[in-house]
Every structure is written in structure tokens, then in C-alpha cells.
Amino acid sequence: MVAFLRFFLFTLSTTILPFAYAFAADIQMPPRPPSIVLTIAGSDSGGGAGIQADLKAIHTISGGKCHGCSAITCLTAQNSCGVTSVHSPPVEFLRSQLLAVEEDLYPSAVKIGMLGTKELADEVGSWLRKLKENGDKRAPFVVCDPVMITTSGHKLVDDTAKVAMIEKVFPYADLVTPNKFEAEELLGKTLCTPQDVEDGARAILAMGPRAVIIKGGHSLLEGNNKVVESEETNASVGYAQDYLLLSDESAAEGKPVKDKARLCDGSRGVWIRNDRYDSAHTHGTGCTLSSAIASAWAMGQRERDAVGSAKGGENIGALCAMRLVDACCVAKAYVNAGIARGVQLGKGPGPVVHTGFPDSYKNFPTIELSASSTSMSSFPAMQSYHSAKSSSSSAPALGRILPIVDTVEWIEQLVSTPGIEDVQLRFKDTTDYDVILDRIKRSSALCQSAGVRLWINDYWKAAIEAGGCFGIHLGQEDLASCVDDGGLDLIRDAGLAFGVSTHSYSELCAALGVRPSYISLGPVFSTQSKDVKFDPQGLETVRQWRSLIPPTIPLIAIGGIGNADVAKVVRGAGAECSAVIGAVTKADDVKKAVADLNAAME
């Protein structure tokens, strides 16, 4: 009976469930209500910033999965040339707006923008305190954009409003998003270097928020920027980068249970970077970024709630894994795409254009190891089997499948199997370095004699010492420890190729930041092969990852690819290689299984 149950579960996870994922999109499910995102900000009669920009961002980045509500703090008469008049309604009216939304449309996330007076800041702070201390309902995620100084350096609020914001609002904010000028105003000093920004973020974190992102770090390194080509409307000039720092408590909520540190956790601080476009049409960038962060986080919470209540998710893995760092990465891509498409509408600078959820590698950011890491070289390039057919590149072509095995005996069998070009060796039964080193040496000799590329999972030091390996594959936790040990330079110096696992948007940004030879995504489907901390990603995430990764970097799908039929579905979603375990090691006829898998991935 036990054997039968194990066989049934394996068949379910490798055959039935993948096709359920593949065809779930064709099933008409009852619509789920969108998440409520509330913006508390001023109105821009020109439509480019404030409430108007917030509501556009909330709707468009979420594709309707979020519904925007608003509480207006002030009214402005303005156009693209400037502000001509400002009117602040009575504080009592702001209170009425907040209560009206709270009682009927309780928000999942709140974005706070311009609070021009002490009284407005006090009122919003009191309302947030009530929500955060209310045990009957889940407190909303709060993003505070401390609108005090424009990107041109013009001061918008007096000192009493600034102090009230720090004392009454910051303690209830999950994230504050000052630009460089606003950070300097909060700190009372100029930020001249990247180290100043990092130190300043720690000082702002001490004011009470759970996280801070300081925007505009690129301005510290203008001399290092250079013009690069862009297919967008505007040319790209160097890069734009922001510095994000999370409290230990906030970072812990973004990690799977019992996870070790990752480069993207944020408690160690991360520089989030993408191309910076040479455009004056940036009106509303701060408003848009903070609203997009709040909306992306709310989308993730919506999916987590759906999975928890057995209602089903639309994009289970990637959105369920959407935490604060992920939301910041997605929002930065959203804003950058909007700047790239910016056009002049009136006589002055145009606003950020509101596009959809990020869908292009051209605007997707990287997480960098430091603010000045501009010269980090890429690992040895690889190309996919499919692109190699028409490419003149001399880069080696990754095989269509990547078998992952645990023993030298399996390596010996696979290197003599037709159609095997790459194989990965992992170690599940030992952590003894000498044992691991011996297995790598024996496996390397077998692979070299057969002309098969050997990839080593996790144990990069042993792979370098053993010699003869082709590449290293690291998960995100091992990537962080490798960076801390200076391992990336050692791996490059050894001439080894490098692959990285990803499970979330921020992990993808971290992987892109180290310039790998390939990127893997998983688990695509449920798998019994290892203790997986992330939900199944599904085919839609495979499609999305393929569009967010430069086409020069191969995408490997892993997890639950139990036979050729499932591999074919994964290939149709955009993966160029399938990492397989049981599809080979549990096959009755290994040679036939390999041939069928390769044909499916053609």
C-alpha cells in the first residue's frame, strides 16, 4: 500500500498537475475582487503627479487586480509649467475621507504622498496608529513618500510638517521613499558619496519606518555614466539606482521559513539599478514609484490570500513570493518603462507614461553588490541550443536538457548516453569535503573523456580545487555566502561558467546583477525531489521570466518536469532547457527517455 501511494503521488506531481497548470487558464473561474489600494495625497490638475498619477499606477501595474481609492490632502492648480495655486481642505474633511474608505473599502495597502502641514500629518498619523493597532483586521501595508523637496531641489513643506511626519507617520510606515534631496532634508546633511547614502538610510531607519529606499543614487556618480544605445523613445544615459535598506524584522517576513540570507533580502542593503534615460519627461516619478510599490505588494498579498483560502492563484509562485524587495524591483521597472516612453504634452516636461506590469528585460533592474560596481565582467557566455542554430557566436550552446544526479555512477551512465551535453552533480547524502572533492574529480574525468560539460551544484570551492569542471550552479542562499567569501572573482578567475536559481522577482534581479551564464526558474510544478520553500511557479511565470531575462542568457526550467510531454509544454512557454531528475533517473529506458526529452525541447 505504501509503495502504491508513493507511485500515485509521483504520477500526480509529474503528469497530472503540470497539465492542470497548463490548461487552468482556459477554465472560467469566478472573478476574485481586486485588492484595495488607498492613496492619501494631493491633486494635480495637470494629471501628471499626485492622486492622478497614483490612481493610474494602481490600476495599470496591477492589470485591474488592484482598485484605487483616494483621500485628497490638498488641491493644486498646476500644469506642466508649474503650480499657480494650492488649496488645503479642512483637516476634518480629510478625516471624513479616511473614515469613509476604512468603513467600506478597507485597504490592503496605503500610499501616502504630500502632507503639506503639521495638522495633516498629525491626522494621517493618528489614523495609521488606529489601523496598525487594531487587532480585528490586518493592518495595511504602508508606503510613505515624504514629499518635501522636488527633484530640482525646491522645498515644499515647512519644518513643523516635516517633524510631524517623522514623529507621527514614519513609525507606522513599512517603507519610506525619499529622493536624495528629501533624505538630506530629513538628515540635515548632504549626501556626497554612496557610503553617505547607505549611512543615511540607516539613520532614517532609526526614525521608525521598517524600510527606506533613497532614490537618485546615480547623481553621486554622474561622471561614471556614459551614453548607451536604447531602442526606446529616449536614449539611455548610464544608469539610475536607488538604495533600499530593510530592518531585520521586515526582511525576515520576505524570506521563506528557515531561509538563510540572500543577496536580495534587503537587511544588508541593496542597490537597485537600471538604465537611466536622457529625458526631461519625468513628472510624477516619485508618486508613481510609491504607488506602484504599494500595488505590487497588494497583488502579492492577494495571491497569498487566495492560496490560503483554497481559491486558487493566477500566477502562484512569483506573485505569492512578492514581498517588499520584490515590489520595489517591479515598481522600479514600471517607472523606468514609463520614463522611456515619456513625451511632452504641454509646454513643460511631460509625465511618466503608465504602462502595464513589467514585461521587458530592457527596463527590468539588477541588484548590485555596490553602488559603483560598473565594471563587473560577465561569466562565460552561453547560448541556447535554439539560438545557436542561426548564431555566429562562438559561445557554447547549452543542451536542451540538464539531468541532475547524485552519484558518480549516474554520471558514468549518462556520459555514454546519446543526447547528453550537460549534467549537474549535486550532493544530498554528505557534506564531507573530502568525499565531495573525490566525487567531483571522478565525475570530471568521466565527463572530460566523453566531451560532456559537468556542472557542480553549490560546492564551488571543491569544483575549483578539483579542476576540469565546466560550471557552477548556486541557489540564492549559496550565492550570498559565495559573494561574502569573495567567491565570484575566484570562479571567474578559474574560467568557470555560472548558473543561478531564481524563485522571485528580487531573486531574478540579484541573479541578473552577477551577470551569469544562465538563469534557472523553479519549481515550475510541484516536485518531490527536494524540500522546496517556494510555491510552484506555473507556466505563466516561465513566459514572464523569458521576457524579463535578456535573450542572450538561456532560461532553464526546473521542478516537476517528469516526462517528455511536460517538457514540451515547458518549452512552449519559453524555457530553452529543462532540468530533469526523475524523468531520467526513474525511467525504465534511460536512452529513450533522454531522446524523447530532447525531442520535446526541440
Side-chain angles (χ1 to χ4, degrees):
M1 178 60 73
V2 172
F4 172 77
L5 288 174
R6 287 177 177 171
F7 173 77
F8 173 77
L9 290 174
F10 175 77
T11 302
L12 178 68
S13 64
T14 59
T15 305
I16 300 174
L17 288 181
F19 286 101
Y21 281 111
F23 299 111
D26 297 330
I27 301 174
Q28 296 298 315
M29 302 293 291
R32 288 189 286 128
S35 293
I36 304 298
V37 179
L38 169 64
T39 169
I40 306 171
S43 172
D44 173 3
S45 58
I51 290 287
Q52 285 80 358
D54 293 341
L55 293 177
K56 290 175 186 174
I58 291 167
H59 179 76
T60 55
I61 192 173
S62 71
K65 294 183 177 67
C66 293
H67 172 76
C69 297
S70 63
I72 299 176
T73 58
C74 66
L75 307 172
T76 67
Q78 66 173 296
N79 53 31
S80 65
C81 297
V83 179
T84 58
S85 182
V86 178
H87 170 68
S88 295
V91 171
E92 292 76 18
F93 185 66
L94 173 60
R95 183 182 304 135
S96 297
Q97 294 178 80
L98 294 174
L99 290 176
V101 173
E102 175 193 346
E103 290 174 357
D104 186 48
L105 298 161
Y106 191 84
S108 294
V110 175
K111 173 266 169 86
I112 300 169
M114 186 172 182
L115 301 174
T117 67
K118 174 184 181 300
E119 291 73 23
L120 290 171
D122 286 344
E123 184 63 36
V124 171
S126 296
W127 182 73
L128 289 176
R129 183 181 68 241
K130 181 183 67 173
L131 265 59
K132 290 290 189 177
E133 296 175 354
N134 183 1
D136 296 334
K137 291 184 178 180
R138 180 171 59 206
F141 177 79
V142 177
V143 179
C144 176
D145 181 14
V147 181
M148 298 184 295
I149 300 180
T150 65
T151 52
S152 61
H154 179 67
K155 192 170 181 178
L156 299 174
V157 299
D158 61 26
D159 288 341
T160 60
K162 178 184 72 174
V163 171
M165 185 185 302
I166 294 171
E167 293 181 349
K168 300 296 180 64
V169 177
F170 278 20
Y172 304 106
D174 293 284
L175 174 69
V176 294
T177 64
N179 61 35
K180 178 177 174 288
F181 298 117
E182 288 161 343
E184 291 172 339
E185 178 68 19
L186 289 169
L187 297 167
K189 64 178 182 181
T190 303
L191 305 177
C192 299
T193 67
Q195 187 61 54
D196 288 344
V197 172
E198 295 180 8
D199 293 341
R202 282 188 284 273
I204 293 174
L205 205 61
M207 296 176 184
R210 300 177 66 197
V212 57
I213 185 168
I214 298 180
K215 303 169 292 185
H218 62 274
S219 63
L220 304 170
L221 300 167
E222 292 293 330
N224 292 333
N225 290 336
K226 61 181 180 180
V227 176
V228 297
E229 293 297 323
S230 170
E231 296 180 6
E232 303 293 350
T233 304
N234 302 298
S236 174
V237 183
Y239 53 82
Q241 61 182 3
D242 307 327
Y243 183 70
L244 174 66
L245 181 66
L246 279 64
S247 66
D248 290 337
E249 177 188 3
S250 185
E253 291 187 5
K255 296 188 294 184
V257 177
K258 298 181 180 179
D259 239 6
K260 299 177 182 178
R262 298 172 296 164
L263 290 182
C264 61
D265 286 340
S267 58
R268 60 195 291 154
V270 294
W271 287 93
I272 305 175
R273 178 190 298 173
N274 51 15
D275 286 346
R276 184 167 65 88
Y277 295 106
D278 185 17
S279 172
H281 309 308
T282 59
H283 185 50
T285 52
C287 306
T288 300
L289 180 73
S290 52
S291 296
I293 292 172
S295 302
W297 188 94
M299 291 171 67
Q301 189 58 56
R302 178 175 180 265
E303 290 303 315
R304 290 189 288 274
D305 288 344
V307 172
S309 61
K311 294 179 182 178
E314 296 159 5
N315 188 12
I316 295 174
L319 283 184
C320 274
M322 179 86 77
R323 306 288 180 171
L324 196 156
V325 182
D326 305 277
C328 289
C329 292
V330 167
K332 187 164 176 63
Y334 177 84
V335 170
N336 216 49
I339 294 173
R341 292 166 174 79
V343 294
Q344 189 170 22
L345 300 179
K347 297 177 181 179
V352 173
V353 174
H354 292 270
T355 60
F357 195 92
D359 62 358
S360 172
Y361 68 92
K362 296 176 183 178
N363 294 298
F364 202 68
T366 60
I367 285 179
E368 299 292 334
L369 303 180
S370 72
S372 56
S373 58
T374 59
S375 60
M376 179 183 292
S377 59
S378 300
F379 284 94
M382 298 200 74
Q383 55 184 328
S384 71
Y385 165 86
H386 313 88
S387 62
K389 291 180 177 180
S390 58
S391 171
S392 60
S393 171
S394 60
L398 185 69
R400 286 164 285 178
I401 63 171
L402 176 62
I404 302 175
V405 295
D406 303 327
T407 67
V408 178
E409 289 71 25
W410 264 113
I411 295 288
E412 185 174 17
Q413 179 174 351
L414 288 175
V415 297
S416 62
T417 302
I420 296 294
E421 299 176 58
D422 298 87
V423 65
Q424 184 180 131
L425 179 63
R426 62 176 181 174
F427 307 91
K428 295 186 67 174
D429 62 336
T430 183
T431 58
D432 187 301
Y433 184 85
D434 291 335
V435 172
I436 289 169
L437 183 62
D438 176 68
R439 290 182 186 177
I440 294 176
K441 288 180 177 179
R442 289 191 287 146
S443 297
S444 175
L446 290 167
C447 287
Q448 284 187 307
S449 64
V452 172
R453 293 181 290 259
L454 175 64
W455 298 80
I456 300 301
N457 189 288
D458 295 345
Y459 290 90
W460 58 272
K461 293 180 182 178
I464 292 175
E465 182 178 348
C469 301
F470 180 81
I472 306 294
H473 177 92
L474 294 182
Q476 292 281 326
E477 297 166 6
D478 292 294
L479 174 61
S481 61
C482 178
V483 167
D484 291 340
D485 291 342
L488 293 186
D489 288 337
L490 295 175
I491 295 170
R492 284 193 188 90
D493 291 344
L496 297 177
F498 192 65
V500 185
S501 296
T502 61
H503 312 84
S504 66
Y505 297 105
S506 60
E507 288 192 352
L508 176 56
C509 290
L512 291 169
V514 299
R515 287 82 168 162
S517 307
Y518 73 71
I519 290 175
S520 72
L521 168 69
V524 178
F525 308 117
S526 296
T527 177
Q528 304 297 318
S529 65
K530 62 183 295 188
D531 180 18
V532 178
K533 303 180 181 72
F534 288 84
D535 294 302
Q537 301 287 340
L539 294 173
E540 182 55 37
T541 308
V542 177
R543 297 185 186 96
Q544 194 175 70
W545 249 235
R546 185 58 277 172
S547 69
L548 295 178
I549 297 172
T552 54
I553 301 177
L555 171 64
I556 297 180
I558 184 172
I561 306 173
N563 55 50
D565 290 336
V566 179
K568 188 172 184 177
V569 173
V570 171
R571 170 65 189 138
E576 288 103 353
C577 174
S578 283
V580 292
I581 303 174
V584 169
T585 61
K586 296 181 183 298
D588 294 330
D589 186 334
V590 173
K591 290 184 179 180
K592 183 178 185 305
V594 168
D596 290 346
L597 287 165
N598 274 327
M601 292 297 296
E602 180 67 45

